[in-house]
Amino acid sequence: MPAPERIPSRGLTEAGLRTLLAEGELTVLGRVRGASNAVLYCTVAHQGEERTCVYKPVAGEQPLWDFPDGTLAQREVAAYEISEATGWGLVPPTVLREGPYGQGMCQLWIEEPDPEPGSGGDGDPSPYGLPPLLALVEDEEPGDGWKAVGFAEVGEGRTALLVHADDPRLRRLAVLDAVINNGDRKGGHLLSAPGGRLYGIDHGVTFHADDKLRTLLWGWAGEPLTAEAAEVLGRLSAGLEPGAGLATRLAQLITTAELDALRGRVENLRATGRHPQPSGEWPSIPWPPV
């Protein structure tokens, strides 16, 4: 399946959107509730163009014991850099900039289309409030078009099988997560957009030098990578060579140890030719899944 066409946002190119996010005037409209860090819903306006966006100021980040170096905002921008280098465009345009509450991450707001009726895993709406690409099913095996993640407690002593769609867009995202060492890929971080686009958001806990991969996208664990993924990893390897443009940009966002670990993950994926499997040293699945 070819990568979805890069659809400009109402006439702006990707570069134009980055300029708008980086140089536009931010106006805070409100706060996104339920997040552990400050997430502000804003408009950004520049030279007659205006869009909605998310602004996450560094000052609003909660300290994390296992991410003492750098900021979550910088990691979000680094994830965008990797996403762009793959050519898959899996992360919305994201920049690091000054805002009303100091430096922070600014990312284009993705407006999801209204869900269609009957979009759950078995053709019916999910009773657990999961997004359409995820489901909890009563069977012990996933149905056609689905990949098993594992069994989960759903209350009253009952278990259900957590599954995700066997979707090429999700598979690309699973590769991206393995590269950036995503420690928190939940279902609520998957956003559908018009034109068949799928985005991943919330990449603050990424790029750790130790294995932290925690995701709902384990359905391909141990399976061979696609030829497309192998080609992408080759391009990433070249871009991460010392002195290359991608490596130079990332060096401003993550630590030297994290950049070295990133190179190691890419080379390991190329060497094995397979999707990674849970290490057993870290909880592999975030819960709750949304």
Side-chain angles (χ1 to χ4, degrees):
M1 175 181 176
E5 182 182 355
R6 304 302 297 274
I7 303 173
S9 174
R10 288 178 282 167
L12 284 181
T13 63
E14 188 86 10
L17 288 169
R18 288 196 300 268
T19 299
L20 172 64
L21 292 170
E23 301 180 11
E25 180 180 357
L26 278 176
T27 301
V28 177
L29 302 179
R31 181 170 181 172
V32 178
R33 299 295 179 183
S36 56
N37 301 298
V39 180
L40 304 178
Y41 179 64
C42 306
T43 59
V44 59
H46 181 63
Q47 295 183 346
E49 297 283 354
E50 183 177 283
R51 301 290 187 277
T52 52
C53 63
V54 167
Y55 164 52
K56 299 182 182 180
V58 173
E61 295 177 359
Q62 298 296 318
L64 297 174
W65 68 268
D66 52 346
F67 282 83
D69 298 309
T71 67
L72 307 188
Q74 288 171 328
R75 297 171 194 280
E76 296 246 29
V77 179
Y80 172 71
E81 289 282 356
I82 294 291
S83 169
E84 287 300 286
T86 67
W88 288 333
L90 295 169
V91 178
T94 310
V95 302
L96 196 67
R97 61 161 293 168
E98 291 294 325
Y101 300 102
Q103 189 181 65
M105 179 276 277
C106 188
Q107 184 176 82
L108 185 71
W109 179 271
I110 301 300
E111 198 69 51
E112 291 193 276
D114 293 333
E116 297 179 4
S119 58
D122 56 0
D124 296 319
S126 169
Y128 301 101
L130 297 176
L133 294 170
L134 298 168
L136 283 162
V137 298
E138 303 295 335
D139 299 328
E140 294 190 359
E141 297 292 335
D144 291 341
W146 295 86
K147 305 288 284 187
V149 178
F151 288 95
E153 295 284 343
V154 294
E156 300 179 352
R158 296 169 52 243
T159 61
L161 181 64
L162 178 65
V163 299
H164 64 68
D166 188 5
D167 187 304
R169 301 169 301 169
L170 281 184
R171 192 164 190 173
R172 293 187 186 113
L173 196 58
V175 173
L176 176 70
D177 283 344
V179 168
I180 67 176
N181 198 14
N182 192 349
D184 193 32
R185 174 62 72 206
K186 294 180 178 178
H189 301 164
L190 306 175
L191 302 181
S192 298
R197 295 294 301 276
L198 177 71
Y199 288 105
I201 61 169
D202 284 352
H203 296 110
V205 287
T206 50
F207 294 101
H208 201 286
D210 298 333
D211 180 15
K212 296 285 187 178
L213 186 58
R214 199 162 73 117
T215 175
L216 294 179
L217 304 181
W218 287 115
W220 297 282
E223 293 187 16
L225 296 167
T226 64
E228 177 193 47
E231 180 183 350
V232 163
L233 290 169
R235 293 202 306 271
L236 281 179
S237 178
L240 291 171
E241 289 286 340
L246 177 61
T248 300
R249 293 191 298 275
L250 290 173
Q252 307 302 312
L253 300 167
I254 58 178
T255 68
T256 299
E258 290 165 345
L259 184 53
D260 288 341
L262 168 62
R263 293 186 179 108
R265 288 192 298 273
V266 170
E267 295 311 313
N268 185 62
L269 286 167
R270 296 182 70 199
T272 64
R274 293 181 178 275
H275 288 269
Q277 301 192 66
S279 67
E281 300 177 358
W282 178 258
S284 62
I285 299 175
W287 201 260
V290 179

